[in-house]
Amino acid sequence: MIAELVSSALGLALYLNTLSADFCYDDSRAIKTNQDLLRETPWTHIFYNDFWGTLLTHSGSHKSYRPLCTLSFRLNHAIGGLNPWSYHLVNVLLHAAVTGLFTSFSKILFGDGYWTFMAGLMFASHPIHTEAVAGIVGRADVGAGLFFLLSLLCYIKHCSTRGYSARTWGWFLGTGLCAGCSMLWKEQGVTVLAVSAVYDVFVFHRLKMKQIIPTIYKRKNFSLFLSISLLTFWGTSLLGARLYWMGNKPPSFSNSDNPAADSDSLLARTLTFFYLPTKNLWLLLCPDTLSFDWSMDAVPLLKTICDWRNLHTVAFYTGLLLLAYYGLKSPSVDRECNGKAVTNGKQNANGHSCHSEAEYRNSEIKPSFASKAENGIKKNVSQTTQLPSTENIVVLSLSLLIIPFIPATNLFFYVGFVIAERVLYIPSMGFCLLITVGARALYVKVQKRFLKSLIFYATAMLIVFYGLKTAIRNGDWQNEEMLYRSGIKVNPAKAWGNLGNVLKSQSKISEAESAYRNALYYRSNMADMLYNLGLLLQENSRFAEALHYYKLAIGSRPTLASAYLNTGIILMNQGKTEEARRTFLKCSEIPDENLKDPHAHKSSVTSCLYNLGKLYHEQGHYEEALTVYKEAIQKMPRQFAPQSLYNMMGEAYMRLSKLPEAEHWYMESLRSKTDHIPAHLTYGKLLALTGRKSEAEKFFLKAIDLDPTKGNCYMHYGQFLLEEARLLEAAEMAKKAAELDSTEFDVVFNAAHMLRQASLNEAAEKYYDLAAKLRPNYPAALMNLGAILHLNGRLQKAEANYLRALQLKPDDVITQSNLRKLWNIMEKQGLKTSKT
C-alpha cells in the first residue's frame, strides 16, 4: 500500500503547478465552444455527438465518441463554469488514481519489493503523460487508462477465483463493464479485453506458443476457453456497437492531419506507417523533444528505401521480434523465476517455488501457492499466488505496449494525426513494465555488487530525469504562448500560426503578423493562416491586403465560409454592392458536408445571409431582405446569437409598415438578449410611432442606462425628444451623442440635424463641419454644411461647399436650388460669385 500511495503522491506533486494553467490548444473547441457542456443543452445530446459537439453521424465528424469524458466536462462546467482550475484539478486527481492502480497492478507482477516501487514511480514521472494530464482534453486518455486498469484488475481477480468461488463471474462482469466504460472515455480502451486474454494465457496459465491450442482444447481447461470466448464476444459486441453508432463510416481528415495517408505513393505510405511506431517508442524511451502537435511535416515522409530512418524501423521490429521470441519460447533447463536463477525446475535461492516444463505438461494448469521472495528479500506469505517469471512479464508488457497502440497505427483505418503524445498514455504502462523487468533481470543476472548497484541507481536516475523533464514540460503548458513557442522546432507552421492567434489576442499586432507570415513561409497553402492574416489586416484597416489573403484562403479551401463573409463585408463597405451580393450568395450555398467544424460553418453562413439582408435593406429592397433573413433563421445553428438578426427582421417589417410583425420580432430580439441595445432603440421608435410615448421613453432611457458611453443611444433619444417638441432637451442629447461618438459619421451628422431643428445653428454648423471632414466625398454632408453656413451668413464658404457637392452629385435638385438662392443674396450684397 505504501508503494501505491507514494507513486500517486509523486504523480500528484509533479502536476500541481498545472492547476494554475490556462486552457490550451484543443481545450477551446472541446470546452469553450462545445454546446454539449451548456446547462440549456439536453444532457442526452452527449450520447449522440462526438467529443467536439458535432453530431456523430455527420460527414464532418471526427467519430471520436467519448461521452463519459464529455459528461465529466459538463459536470466541471456546471460547478465551476469556464474556470480552468477545476478542470485541471480533475485531470491531476485522475492521473494520481491511475498511478496508484498501475502500482497495484505492478505488485501482482513484481511482488512487494522495490521493483514495484520503481515501476510505479516511472509511470508517475514519465514526461509523455504531460499532454494527457496538463492538457484538459487529455482527460479522455487518463479516464480511459483508469477504467482500463480497473478492467484488467477485475479480470485478474476473475482468473484467481475461477473454479474456486461463485464470485468469479462477478469479477468477469466487472471486467466487461469497466472495459465498456474505458471505451466510452476513449476508443482504445476496448483493447483491455485483448490484454486480459494475454494475461490469462501467458501469465496466469504460463503457456508457451506451442502449448496454447492443445491446452485450450483439453476438457479440464474449459474454463479458460470459456473466459477467452466471452472476452472475444464482448469485445466484438462493443466494437460493432461503436461502429454502428457512428454511422458505419470511418472519419475523414485533411491531408495536413495525416500526410502519409494522403500520399499517392504506396511505398511512401508503407515506409512511413512502419516507421511511426519506431518514432513513438523513441518518445517513450527518450522524451527529449515533445510537441503539442505532430501533424503536417513534423515527421517527414519516408519516400525511398534509401532513407536512413529505415534502419531505425528495422532495428525496432527486430528488437520487438526478439523480445516476443524470448517471452514465448519454450523454457530451457536453466531459467529464471521471479527474479531468481532456477535449475532443472528448482529455484536455487530463497525457497521460491517454480514449475518446470515437465510439471506444466503433466499437471492441470491452476494457480500455485508458495512463499514469495524478490531479489534477495524474503517474506513468507501463505496462500499467495506465485509471481510470474520474467518471460511472462515480458509478454504481458509487450501486449500492454502494443495492443492499445494498434488503433493509432493506421493499420485498420487512417487516423487524424501523425503522432499524438496523449495516445501513448496507456501504452506507456507496458513500456514502464518492460524497462522495470529488464532492469530486474539484469540485476539478478550480474554477480558483482558494484554492477547490481549500478543497474539499480541507473534505473533510479532514469526516473529522476523523467521527473525533471515532466516538471519542465509542465511549464510549457502553463499558457498557450509558451506551449506554441516550445513547438516551433517540431511543427513550425502550426506553432507559428497558433502563436499568431495568441499574440493577436494580446494586441501585439506587428508580432502577430510576423508569426502568421512565418507560418505561411513553412506552409503557404494553410487556409486558416491565410484567413487569420486577412482578418488581422482587415481589423487594422488594410482592406486591400486583407482581400488578397481572403481570396488566397478561399483558393486553398473553397468551403471556408468565414473568408467569404469577411470578403463580402469589405466589398459592401467599399460600395461594391453587386460584388458583395454575389460573395454573400456564394457563401450561403456552401454545404457543411465533410467539414471539420460544421457549427462554425453554419454560423458563418448565417452571418453571410444576415449581411446580405442588410445590403438589400440599405438598398430599399425590404421584401428581398425579409426573404434572406428568414433563410438565415432556418440555417441558424444553436450557438448563433440571433438578437441582431431578429432586430433587422423587425426593421424590415417596420419599413413595410407591418407594425404588428415588426413588434413581434423586436420582442424576440429582446427575449434572446435582454440587454440588446439596438432592439431597445428600434422598439422605442415603434412605440413612439404607435402613440405609446411613455413606454417609448422608458426603452430609450434603458438603452442609455445599459451603455452610457454610446452616443447612438443619446442620438435616438434626442430624436424622440425633438419629435415631442422638447427642443432644449433634444439639443443636449445631440451634443452628448456627438461628443461621445465624434468619429461616427451617422451620429455626428444626425446630431447636427437635431441642433439645426432646435434652431441652434452655431452648434449645428460645428457638427456639420465635423461630419464633412469625416466623409469629405459625401454630397449630402457637403450640401448640409453649405446650407447651415448659408443660414449663418457665411456665404462664400457656403458657396464653396455647394459647388463641391455638385461636383460629386451634379443632378442634385436641392443643392442646385440652394446655390441659386445663395447667388441671389450674394449679388444683392455685391459679393463676387463663382458664376461671375
Side-chain angles (χ1 to χ4, degrees):
M1 194 65 185
I2 294 175
E4 288 92 326
L5 290 175
V6 173
S7 299
S8 295
L10 178 64
L12 189 67
L14 282 172
Y15 290 94
L16 281 178
N17 65 327
T18 65
L19 297 180
S20 60
D22 203 351
F23 290 115
C24 288
Y25 195 40
D26 287 335
D27 297 344
S28 179
R29 190 175 165 211
I31 296 168
K32 288 185 177 181
T33 62
N34 191 342
Q35 298 296 300
D36 289 342
L37 271 58
L38 302 180
R39 193 183 304 272
E40 55 267 25
T41 303
W43 66 273
T44 52
H45 283 202
I46 290 172
F47 294 94
Y48 294 93
N49 294 338
D50 67 16
F51 189 54
W52 314 100
T54 303
L55 188 66
L56 199 63
T57 54
H58 187 276
S59 57
S61 170
H62 278 202
K63 310 296 184 184
S64 46
Y65 186 59
R66 303 161 193 173
L68 293 185
C69 185
T70 307
L71 192 60
S72 74
F73 288 154
R74 180 163 175 142
L75 291 172
N76 261 133
H77 191 277
I79 295 169
L82 289 176
N83 182 356
W85 183 87
S86 65
Y87 294 85
H88 285 296
L89 177 63
V90 172
N91 275 33
V92 173
L93 292 176
L94 282 173
H95 176 62
V98 173
T99 303
L101 285 174
F102 176 75
T103 309
S104 292
F105 172 62
S106 301
K107 187 181 290 185
I108 295 171
L109 304 178
F110 297 115
D112 288 326
Y114 42 71
W115 294 111
T116 293
F117 196 50
M118 289 287 192
L121 293 178
M122 189 175 297
F123 182 82
S125 62
H126 203 293
I128 206 68
H129 301 154
T130 308
E131 182 180 3
V133 183
I136 295 171
V137 295
R139 184 182 300 179
D141 298 86
V142 183
L146 179 72
F147 283 95
F148 188 101
L149 286 170
L150 286 173
S151 178
L152 188 55
L153 290 170
C154 283
Y155 193 78
I156 290 171
K157 281 286 188 180
H158 163 71
C159 292
S160 62
T161 57
R162 188 169 45 201
Y164 299 99
S165 170
R167 294 180 180 178
T168 187
W169 297 110
W171 289 114
F172 189 89
L173 180 62
T175 298
L177 289 175
C178 289
C181 289
S182 184
M183 187 186 76
L184 293 176
W185 273 89
K186 191 166 185 181
E187 299 78 7
Q188 67 185 135
V190 73
T191 58
V192 67
L193 299 173
V195 175
S196 298
V198 170
Y199 171 84
D200 202 353
V201 173
F202 296 106
V203 178
F204 186 77
H205 283 92
R206 305 171 188 272
L207 299 180
K208 301 301 176 182
M209 284 300 296
K210 67 180 183 180
Q211 297 174 308
I212 294 174
I213 295 177
T215 300
I216 289 178
Y217 278 102
K218 287 181 181 179
R219 183 174 295 181
K220 60 186 176 183
N221 288 311
F222 176 75
S223 60
L224 170 63
F225 176 76
L226 180 61
S227 295
I228 300 299
S229 298
L230 289 173
L231 287 175
T232 305
F233 171 76
W234 183 234
T236 305
S237 300
L238 287 175
L239 289 173
R242 172 75 173 76
L243 185 64
Y244 170 79
W245 204 245
M246 72 181 196
N248 296 313
K249 291 180 181 178
S252 59
F253 301 103
S254 68
N255 62 347
S256 63
D257 291 331
N258 189 348
D262 195 61
S263 174
D264 294 328
S265 169
L266 176 62
L267 179 63
R269 289 201 305 274
T270 303
L271 292 178
T272 304
F273 287 152
F274 271 109
Y275 170 73
L276 288 178
T278 308
K279 182 69 175 177
N280 279 275
L281 181 65
W282 180 250
L283 287 178
L284 285 169
L285 185 62
C286 184
D288 177 55
T289 301
L290 299 174
S291 176
F292 71 96
D293 190 286
W294 289 83
S295 62
M296 300 181 183
D297 302 317
V299 180
L301 300 183
L302 283 77
K303 297 180 180 179
T304 66
I305 297 292
C306 298
D307 193 312
W308 61 272
R309 289 175 293 172
N310 288 313
L311 296 176
H312 297 171
T313 305
V314 172
F316 167 71
Y317 288 103
T318 302
L320 206 62
L321 289 172
L322 288 174
L323 278 173
Y325 173 75
Y326 170 78
L328 296 173
K329 68 178 181 178
S330 297
S332 60
V333 176
D334 294 328
R335 63 192 187 88
E336 178 203 326
C337 183
N338 303 330
K340 291 295 167 183
V342 173
T343 306
N344 297 321
K346 296 181 181 179
Q347 192 170 321
N348 65 5
N350 298 325
H352 282 258
S353 169
C354 189
H355 292 300
S356 67
E357 182 180 3
E359 288 176 304
Y360 283 125
R361 285 198 301 264
N362 299 326
S363 65
E364 179 182 349
I365 297 171
K366 58 185 180 181
S368 58
F369 300 94
S371 64
K372 180 170 62 177
E374 183 182 12
N375 307 316
I377 300 172
K378 183 175 178 180
K379 284 189 178 181
N380 292 318
V381 182
S382 60
Q383 296 296 300
T384 302
T385 306
Q386 180 188 342
L387 296 176
S389 67
T390 296
E391 293 94 329
N392 301 146
I393 300 175
V394 167
V395 172
L396 183 62
S397 301
L398 285 175
S399 71
L400 197 49
L401 174 67
I402 296 169
I403 295 174
F405 184 71
I406 287 175
T409 60
N410 297 278
L411 182 62
F412 299 109
F413 48 82
Y414 292 140
V415 295
F417 53 85
V418 179
I419 291 174
E421 291 168 16
R422 56 178 177 252
V423 169
L424 295 173
Y425 188 82
I426 295 176
S428 70
M429 298 176 188
F431 172 81
C432 292
L433 291 177
L434 206 56
I435 294 295
T436 304
V437 74
R440 190 189 72 168
L442 285 173
Y443 183 92
V444 171
K445 195 170 185 65
V446 299
Q447 300 299 319
K448 293 183 179 180
R449 184 178 295 276
F450 166 75
L451 292 176
K452 286 181 180 289
S453 298
L454 182 64
I455 292 166
F456 179 81
Y457 288 116
T459 308
M461 284 306 299
L462 179 65
I463 293 170
V464 171
F465 285 137
Y466 280 171
L468 290 173
K469 177 62 179 178
T470 297
I472 294 169
R473 182 61 178 158
N474 283 340
D476 293 336
W477 279 87
Q478 282 296 304
N479 57 65
E480 288 190 302
E481 182 175 354
M482 296 176 68
L483 179 65
Y484 299 145
R485 288 191 186 279
S486 72
I488 288 173
K489 62 183 178 181
V490 173
N491 191 346
K494 193 70 170 281
W496 277 117
N498 288 350
L499 182 60
N501 294 336
V502 174
L503 294 170
K504 179 186 169 187
S505 70
Q506 297 172 353
S507 299
K508 298 177 181 177
I509 304 304
S510 60
E511 292 179 53
E513 183 178 346
S514 296
Y516 288 140
R517 294 189 186 279
N518 285 340
L520 292 170
Y521 170 79
Y522 287 101
R523 197 175 180 91
S524 60
N525 64 342
M526 288 193 297
D528 288 330
M529 292 309 110
L530 291 165
Y531 169 76
N532 288 337
L533 179 55
L535 189 61
L536 179 75
L537 295 168
Q538 180 184 357
E539 290 172 355
N540 287 274
S541 302
R542 295 159 64 180
F543 300 117
E545 292 175 86
L547 278 176
H548 170 70
Y549 283 103
Y550 287 146
K551 288 175 182 177
L552 289 176
I554 291 169
S556 179
R557 191 190 302 164
T559 58
L560 188 57
S562 52
Y564 288 94
L565 169 63
N566 285 286
T567 298
I569 290 172
I570 292 176
L571 292 170
M572 188 167 66
N573 291 336
Q574 290 178 341
K576 300 175 182 178
T577 54
E578 182 55 30
E579 199 175 342
R581 185 187 68 83
R582 289 197 301 269
T583 302
F584 288 139
L585 278 173
K586 189 170 183 180
C587 175
S588 68
E589 294 167 356
I590 301 173
D592 64 350
E593 295 175 4
N594 298 315
L595 295 182
K596 188 175 181 179
D597 191 350
H599 296 308
H601 172 80
K602 288 178 181 179
S603 292
S604 295
V605 167
T606 304
S607 295
C608 270
L609 290 167
Y610 167 76
N611 281 281
L612 178 60
K614 279 183 67 177
L615 182 62
Y616 285 140
H617 189 102
E618 291 173 5
Q619 293 174 337
H621 306 316
Y622 304 118
E623 292 288 357
E624 289 92 334
L626 278 174
T627 302
V628 172
Y629 290 146
K630 289 174 183 176
E631 184 183 352
I633 290 172
Q634 288 177 346
K635 293 185 176 181
M636 181 174 64
R638 281 188 300 127
Q639 77 273 15
F640 187 82
Q643 61 273 8
S644 296
L645 178 56
Y646 293 161
N647 187 55
M648 288 304 297
M649 284 278 286
E651 282 279 86
Y653 278 119
M654 185 91 159
R655 296 300 176 92
L656 293 170
S657 300
K658 296 180 179 180
L659 301 186
E661 291 89 344
E663 183 166 4
H664 166 76
W665 287 107
Y666 289 146
M667 293 302 296
E668 284 296 312
S669 178
L670 290 169
R671 265 193 286 270
S672 62
K673 192 173 190 293
T674 56
D675 60 350
H676 187 52
I677 292 174
H680 280 84
L681 299 174
T682 52
Y683 189 42
K685 287 163 67 176
L686 184 142
L687 291 169
L689 185 65
T690 54
R692 290 172 279 179
K693 307 289 187 179
S694 60
E695 288 182 69
E697 187 164 5
K698 288 178 183 177
F699 274 89
F700 288 127
L701 291 171
K702 177 66 174 175
I704 292 172
D705 185 56
L706 287 169
D707 191 354
T709 65
K710 202 172 183 67
N712 192 43
C713 299
Y714 295 95
M715 185 194 71
H716 279 85
Y717 184 41
Q719 190 65 47
F720 168 77
L721 293 170
L722 189 67
E723 291 168 1
E724 293 297 299
R726 294 157 63 178
L727 301 182
L728 292 177
E729 292 177 81
E732 285 301 315
M733 290 300 109
K735 289 178 182 178
K736 185 76 172 175
E739 287 169 5
L740 288 170
D741 287 345
S742 58
T743 58
E744 293 292 328
F745 172 81
D746 289 334
V747 173
V748 174
F749 191 62
N750 284 305
H753 268 319
M754 285 190 282
L755 290 165
R756 178 179 172 182
Q757 289 174 287
S759 300
L760 297 172
N761 292 347
E762 290 296 327
E765 180 184 331
K766 173 186 173 182
Y767 290 110
Y768 275 130
D769 183 57
L770 180 57
K773 289 176 181 175
L774 290 171
R775 286 194 188 175
N777 296 320
Y778 188 51
L782 295 166
M783 187 273 286
N784 279 281
L785 177 57
I788 198 67
L789 290 166
H790 187 163
L791 289 172
N792 290 342
R794 296 177 177 83
L795 304 183
Q796 290 179 325
K797 287 185 178 180
E799 181 190 29
N801 281 283
Y802 282 147
L803 290 171
R804 175 65 180 148
L806 285 171
Q807 285 178 350
L808 296 168
K809 193 176 181 182
D811 58 348
D812 188 72
V813 177
I814 297 175
T815 308
Q816 290 172 350
S817 174
N818 286 348
L819 182 59
R820 283 193 296 270
K821 291 175 184 178
L822 177 68
W823 280 340
N824 289 334
I825 295 171
M826 292 176 74
E827 287 172 355
K828 288 178 183 179
Q829 293 181 5
L831 296 173
K832 186 178 178 180
T833 65
S834 61
K835 71 175 181 177
T836 60

